[in-house]
């Protein structure tokens, strides 16, 4: 197999990057140049939990977060030779993971979205519109509710004082 070379760290990058980032770069270099599986495994072990919790926070589903974590590492390791030491490996990895999660969430949103303007064909061939119930009462429902409350207040007014007080304290 063909061995790939990774550009060495420039003095500027070595001074700018943290010790952790320089160590990560050494792992990346071993993974690319030597196809060192232990280097891949160590990179995975170092960032797996952080990536998982970021994915969990983004998608709020443990199974999706686990899948997205694995996918993020898969994509990163496939493109590892495109990594540049201008940035820390962790920054590059987190960017890949977050972009992957954003794409996933967009696709998931499109899959479950419904147009309320378009007509829907039923299995019998009849066409009908979607009716979605609002979280607020419509004007007619508000008026009916107001009438019911007024009627109940009148009924409560006609109760004996001790019952009236009990109902008012409990409901009003």
């Amino acid at each position: 197999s063909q061995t790939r070379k990774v550009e060495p760290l420039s003095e500027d990058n070595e001074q700018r990057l943290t010790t952790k980032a320089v160590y990560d770069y050494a792992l990346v270099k071993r993974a690319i140049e030597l196809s060192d599986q232990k280097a891949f495994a160590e990179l995975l072990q170092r960032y797996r939990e952080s990536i998982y919790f970021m994915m969990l926070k983004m998608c709020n589903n443990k199974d999706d977060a686990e899948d997205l974590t694995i996918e993020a590492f898969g994509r990163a390791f496939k493109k590892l030779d495109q990594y540049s030491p201008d940035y820390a490996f962790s920054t590059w990895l987190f960017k890949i993971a977050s972009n992957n999660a954003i794409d996933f969430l967009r696709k998931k949103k499109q899959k479950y979205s419904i147009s309320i303007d378009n007509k829907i064909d039923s299995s019998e061939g009849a066409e009908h519109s979607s009716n979605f119930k609002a979280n607020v009462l419509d004007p007619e429902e508000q008026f009916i509710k107001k009438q019911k409350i007024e009627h109940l207040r009148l009924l409560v007014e006609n109760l004996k004082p001790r019952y009236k007080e009990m109902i008012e304290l409990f409901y009003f």
Side-chain angles (χ1 to χ4, degrees):
S1 77
Q2 183 181 6
T3 57
R4 298 177 285 179
K5 289 287 184 187
V6 177
E7 63 182 83
L9 272 179
S10 66
E11 279 185 45
D12 182 46
N13 280 345
E14 197 161 349
Q15 290 173 355
R16 196 172 41 78
L17 295 175
T18 64
T19 306
K20 184 178 179 183
V22 171
Y23 183 76
D24 286 345
Y25 184 72
L27 289 173
V28 168
K29 192 172 180 176
R30 280 184 20 219
I32 292 173
E33 290 179 355
L34 306 173
S35 296
D36 185 345
Q37 295 304 305
K38 286 182 182 177
F40 282 111
E42 190 170 344
L43 287 168
L44 177 73
Q45 185 262 328
R46 286 169 68 92
Y47 293 103
R48 188 176 200 285
E49 192 173 297
S50 301
I51 295 291
Y52 170 77
F53 284 112
M54 183 178 81
M55 297 297 96
L56 185 59
K57 192 172 184 177
M58 289 180 79
C59 68
N60 204 23
N61 178 303
K62 289 180 179 181
D63 293 331
D64 289 343
E66 187 66 38
D67 292 345
L68 288 169
T69 300
I70 293 165
E71 218 174 281
F73 279 101
R75 287 179 182 215
F77 289 165
K78 250 184 218 170
K79 298 179 178 185
L80 202 54
D81 56 347
Q82 295 175 15
Y83 167 68
S84 167
D86 293 337
Y87 304 99
F89 173 76
S90 58
T91 305
W92 182 76
L93 177 63
F94 277 84
K95 189 67 177 168
I96 288 173
S98 64
N99 286 344
N100 190 39
I102 290 167
D103 290 345
F104 169 80
L105 292 171
R106 274 192 199 125
K107 287 176 190 170
K108 190 174 182 178
K109 185 179 176 183
Q110 287 173 350
K111 184 177 177 181
Y112 294 108
S113 65
I114 303 170
S115 172
I116 60 173
D117 297 326
N118 296 337
K119 299 223 183 272
I120 300 170
D121 291 325
S122 67
S123 58
E124 295 86 38
E127 202 176 80
H128 64 278
S129 296
S130 299
N131 291 321
F132 294 97
K133 184 83 174 139
N135 292 334
V136 294
L137 299 175
D138 66 31
E140 181 182 6
E141 291 169 327
Q142 285 177 340
F143 182 73
I144 292 169
K145 183 178 179 182
K146 188 177 177 183
Q147 278 185 328
K148 283 181 180 179
I149 290 171
E150 287 175 10
H151 184 68
L152 282 173
R153 283 200 184 267
L154 284 173
L155 290 173
V156 170
E157 284 294 321
N158 293 328
L159 290 174
K160 291 182 180 178
R162 69 175 189 219
Y163 295 121
K164 178 181 168 183
E165 183 181 0
M166 184 176 68
I167 298 291
E168 283 180 339
L169 288 172
F170 189 80
Y171 289 103
F172 304 116

